[in-house]
Amino acid sequence: MRLDNFDLNLLIAFDALLAERNVTEAARRLNLTQSAMSAALKRLREALNDDILAQHGKKMIPTARALALAPEIAAVVQNLRSLIASSTSFEPMSSNRRFKIAASDYITTVLIAPMLEKLQVDAPSIEVEVRSPDPSSSKAMEEGDLDLMLTPEQFLVPDHPSEQLFVERHVVVGCTSNPVLHGPLSVEDFFGCGHVSVQIQGEPSFIEAALRTSGDRRRIEIIAPSFIQAPWMLRNTSRLALMHERLANLLRVPLALAVAECPIPLPAMNEMMQHHSARTNDAGLCWLRAQLKAAANRASLPPKAAR
């Protein structure tokens, strides 16, 4: 088969079909009719002399050759999209582009939300889709389904560019009525209180993982699914929780939180921003990264912020 006789749009169809393994879902993904996607599958089978997807009961199973071709074709499609995107200018005031970002509730609250206030004026028609990070986030970025991941350094995807947004500390928070927080918090009081721990999608957060490696002596009484929910579980109790300093300072007044220095050593957290290597020159993504870096600079704490 000669390349000049091959419709390159079939590569996009192949990529969608292998990702969805369902003609209807692949059609929906590319905003095509089911009949158009069925026709694309037929042409792919003829061009590659392979079934690509074989019906097995109610499921469609990719052939061995299709599985072998899938990562290479996915890379080609991603590079072509990047090439087309990078060759065009980006006008924030008129663009209606949708950006997809994986970010925790913490980073959404302290960084993305303030940025969006500014973008309502500077880029009124863009869309920002924020997704909670989960085990599939890394794969989504690898496949080009995410524009950015905002994550601690330990959770970066290998072999893709990243840059630091800021360095974050963790502090101890509790209800203002908790007597152990009416003065400097001691090691004995820290471990003597019950604690609220945060696990995201069933996985320990950055600070929880760090404590586990150093020998954790806390008495965990509550496991919360997010840092936004954790403070509500401290109200009118003697429990404590570890929280990002920026988030704690935002929530201390509205949620009546007391904030204290942790009496045990804790590692600093490097909050990073990562994108796919094929999108480094994407004009729109370059603009968005600049907006996030500017928002990060505005969100930086003074050297001795109030505790």
Side-chain angles (χ1 to χ4, degrees):
M1 177 188 63
R2 289 170 55 90
L3 181 60
D4 53 7
N5 292 328
F6 185 81
D7 182 355
L8 293 180
N9 285 313
L10 292 178
L11 296 180
I12 298 173
F14 179 99
D15 188 45
L17 285 163
L18 265 288
E20 301 294 343
R21 301 186 183 187
N22 181 287
V23 172
T24 301
E25 293 303 316
R28 184 177 292 115
R29 178 171 177 155
L30 297 182
N31 198 27
L32 297 174
T33 64
Q34 184 174 348
S35 59
M37 183 55 70
S38 295
L41 177 57
K42 181 175 183 294
R43 292 174 63 198
L44 276 167
R45 284 168 168 166
E46 293 171 351
L48 299 177
N49 194 26
D50 186 83
D51 283 342
I52 310 299
L53 293 172
Q55 195 74 39
H56 183 76
K58 294 183 178 181
K59 296 182 179 180
M60 298 194 82
I61 307 299
T63 64
R65 188 175 183 214
L67 288 174
L69 289 172
E72 296 185 41
I73 290 179
V76 168
V77 170
Q78 181 60 44
N79 286 332
L80 285 172
R81 284 175 173 158
S82 176
L83 180 64
I84 293 169
S86 65
S87 66
T88 60
S89 60
F90 179 78
E91 298 295 337
M93 283 297 296
S94 58
S95 175
N96 61 358
R97 178 171 170 176
R98 172 182 287 189
F99 293 100
K100 300 177 183 179
I101 305 174
S104 67
D105 60 336
Y106 143 69
I107 201 69
T108 299
T109 302
V110 303
L111 183 65
I112 295 178
M115 178 192 72
L116 294 179
E117 293 179 19
K118 187 173 184 298
L119 297 195
Q120 187 173 29
V121 175
D122 296 346
S125 298
I126 69 161
E127 297 180 30
V128 177
E129 178 184 338
V130 181
R131 301 180 183 179
S132 296
D134 61 34
S136 69
S137 297
S138 297
K139 182 180 179 183
M141 197 195 75
E142 289 274 18
E143 294 178 346
D145 195 34
L146 275 178
D147 292 297
L148 288 173
M149 280 206 322
L150 308 185
T151 181
E153 188 174 19
Q154 285 77 355
F155 306 128
L156 291 173
V157 179
D159 303 324
H160 291 285
S162 64
E163 51 196 314
Q164 186 183 82
L165 287 169
F166 52 70
V167 178
E168 183 66 284
R169 298 186 335 128
H170 283 76
V171 292
V172 180
V173 296
C175 183
T176 52
S177 63
N178 189 337
V180 304
L181 295 173
H182 292 173
L185 182 64
S186 68
V187 174
E188 293 74 18
D189 285 336
F190 178 74
F191 287 114
C193 291
H195 283 253
V196 176
S197 169
V198 175
Q199 293 189 12
I200 301 171
Q201 297 287 331
E203 297 295 326
S205 62
F206 166 85
I207 200 62
E208 293 295 325
L211 284 170
R212 290 183 186 185
T213 60
S214 62
D216 189 4
R217 295 194 286 123
R218 293 171 304 159
R219 186 175 75 254
I220 304 298
E221 294 182 350
I222 305 290
I223 298 176
S226 76
F227 282 100
I228 291 295
Q229 293 183 9
W232 295 92
M233 301 173 184
L234 302 172
R235 301 181 72 183
N236 302 315
T237 76
S238 61
R239 299 186 186 104
L240 303 175
L242 288 167
M243 182 177 289
H244 314 86
E245 187 173 25
R246 286 170 176 79
L247 185 59
N249 284 339
L250 279 176
L251 300 180
R252 64 192 303 168
V253 173
L255 296 186
L257 297 176
V259 182
E261 294 284 343
C262 186
I264 63 172
L266 297 175
M269 184 180 79
N270 292 322
E271 189 66 34
M272 308 294 288
M273 171 169 62
Q274 186 171 43
H275 63 274
H276 196 289
S277 58
R279 293 187 177 174
T280 297
N281 297 321
D282 180 324
L285 197 53
C286 288
W287 171 84
L288 181 61
R289 285 158 46 205
Q291 302 308 304
L292 283 163
K293 285 188 284 188
N297 289 335
R298 293 192 294 271
S300 293
L301 291 166
K304 294 184 179 179
R307 303 288 176 238

